[in-house]
Amino acid sequence: NAGVTQTPKFQVLKTGQSMTLQCAQDMNHEYMSWYRQDPGMGLRLIHYSVGAGITDQGEVPNGYNVSRSTTEDFPLRLLSAAPSQTSVYFCASSYWGGYGYTFGSGTRLTVV
Amino acid sequence: DAKTTQPNSMESNEEEPVHLPCNHSTISGTDYIHWYRQLPSQGPEYVIHGLTSNVNNRMASLAIAEDRKSSTLILHRATLRDAAVYYCLSGATNKLIFGTGTLLAVQP
């Protein structure tokens, strides 16, 4: 099993550009989440999903959109990149109800 | 969302047990207690979780207070590879909120 796969691993964007961070899992997990981690800080929840077609906002959703059309995929869209969105982004997935999350290896995003 | 409180940092010696404390005084009856760790330059890694009873797995043990307002992650024999930030979380399993964690340093 590949687990949670995030692409790309690194990305540099110019201010105002848009892009999509991809996240795919092959474990048939219902729950998926996106986090950002700024240098030297903890993780902050951006958006999460409990199943296909269902998404909700986390702690810091502004500037990001998500959709969950399939169980496997949970892309994160940056609408108009800003330097404040420079961060490492982690995607995670879990089975329904009381199981541990598996995290991807992260996407390091720099907005200049 | 339930809030957790952990010490900012702790030190341990290699081969000795480590007890990492966590307070979660606002936990609700259905909230699980989760522990994750993050090694340098890596994504978080699941360690253990529990609801009411103490839990053991190959990585660690989780001791939960009877009133569930605190818990302790126990690493039975610390190794250099256990040096990481350890996060204690409590809340709904569909929406994990991370705090600042405890930076564990392991001395040889």
Side-chain angles (χ1 to χ4, degrees), chain A residues 8 10 14 20 32 35 41-42 53 60 65 78 81 83 88-89 95 98:
Chain A
F10 301 93
K14 294 183 178 179
T20 299
M32 296 187 76
Y35 293 87
M41 306 289 286
V60 288
N65 275 356
L78 278 70
V88 180
Y89 291 83
Y95 285 114

Side-chain angles (χ1 to χ4, degrees), chain A residues 7-22 63-64 76-87 89 107-112:
Chain A
T7 56
K9 292 193 184 304
F10 301 93
Q11 182 71 48
V12 179
L13 286 180
K14 294 183 178 179
T15 297
Q17 287 184 318
S18 62
M19 81 159 293
T20 299
L21 279 63
Q22 301 292 344
Y64 307 94
L76 178 72
R77 298 183 186 84
L78 278 70
L79 309 172
S80 177
S84 61
Q85 294 178 304
T86 293
S87 191
Y89 291 83
T107 294
R108 188 175 297 273
L109 176 69
T110 302
V111 182
V112 298

Side-chain angles (χ1 to χ4, degrees), chain B residues 46-104:
Chain B
Y46 166 79
V47 177
I48 200 166
H49 76 284
L51 186 61
T52 56
S53 304
N54 294 346
V55 184
N56 301 293
N57 66 21
R58 62 174 181 82
M59 289 182 69
S61 296
L62 175 60
I64 302 172
E66 196 168 332
D67 64 4
R68 297 201 340 116
K69 293 185 184 302
S70 66
S71 63
T72 302
L73 179 71
I74 303 165
L75 307 179
H76 296 286
R77 290 180 66 194
T79 70
L80 297 178
R81 194 192 170 278
D82 291 322
V85 178
Y86 286 79
Y87 295 98
C88 168
L89 302 83
S90 67
T93 53
N94 63 333
K95 184 183 176 185
L96 291 186
I97 304 295
F98 283 75
T100 53
T102 296
L103 177 61
L104 175 66

